[in-house]
Amino acid sequence: MEIALDEARAAAARGEVPVGAVVLDAAGRVLARAGNEVEARADPTAHAELLALREAAARRGVPRLPDCDLVVTLEPCPMCAQAASLFRVRRLIFGAYDPKGGGVDHGPRVLDAPTCQHRPEVVGGVGEQDAAALLRAFFAARR
């Protein structure tokens, strides 16, 4: 989670919403890491999770990552939750819960839908306080 938090801090420094993600292989080695790049790319889908998952798959030359874990600082939105399913990650680990925009434990609960083809193991609340504090500070500075 510390690597994901580092990516989130770097995203905040760039003026992006501070969300960071890392993809780990079965041995715990980092395959890819990313922070949000929505503003920099002018792309509303440039979430940290998608960027990291795409990079990890590209590095391996495969479309699925069944032996990998996705670690992200914030509960994934519905789009990113579905991406975790489509990439077939083994485990999804996230920090802060997102009652407003989350798609795993909140909102549509994408991974619990009967149409979801793959449900990774989900572990929420890892490093929750640090991740939530980073988000609160970022948005407080903009109000």
Side-chain angles (χ1 to χ4, degrees):
M1 181 58 74
E2 196 55 44
I3 295 169
L5 284 166
D6 287 345
E7 289 294 328
R9 290 183 196 103
R14 297 189 306 269
E16 301 278 356
V17 173
V19 176
V22 60
V23 177
L24 305 172
D25 69 11
R29 292 181 298 253
V30 174
L31 287 177
R33 56 193 289 170
N36 274 357
E37 294 186 20
V38 170
E39 302 302 325
R41 293 182 185 221
D43 177 357
T45 69
H47 291 195
E49 301 96 306
L50 285 176
L51 298 174
L53 287 166
R54 288 174 181 157
E55 181 182 335
R59 287 183 79 192
R60 284 191 160 179
V62 298
R64 287 174 276 296
L65 304 165
D67 63 331
C68 294
D69 298 339
L70 172 63
V71 181
V72 60
T73 58
L74 181 64
E75 176 184 349
C77 71
M79 174 183 67
C80 293
Q82 186 64 50
S85 176
L86 292 172
F87 277 95
R88 305 287 198 271
V89 297
R90 172 180 64 177
R91 188 176 299 120
L92 167 62
I93 302 160
F94 67 86
Y97 289 86
D98 188 358
K100 186 175 179 182
V104 177
D105 278 357
H106 296 88
R109 298 178 185 236
V110 170
L111 301 176
D112 291 334
T115 55
C116 183
Q117 296 178 7
H118 170 75
R119 186 181 201 286
E121 176 187 344
V122 176
V123 181
V126 177
E128 179 178 10
Q129 290 180 341
D130 291 337
L134 187 57
L135 286 158
R136 276 192 304 274
F138 177 81
F139 287 111
R142 278 155 180 69
R143 292 188 180 117

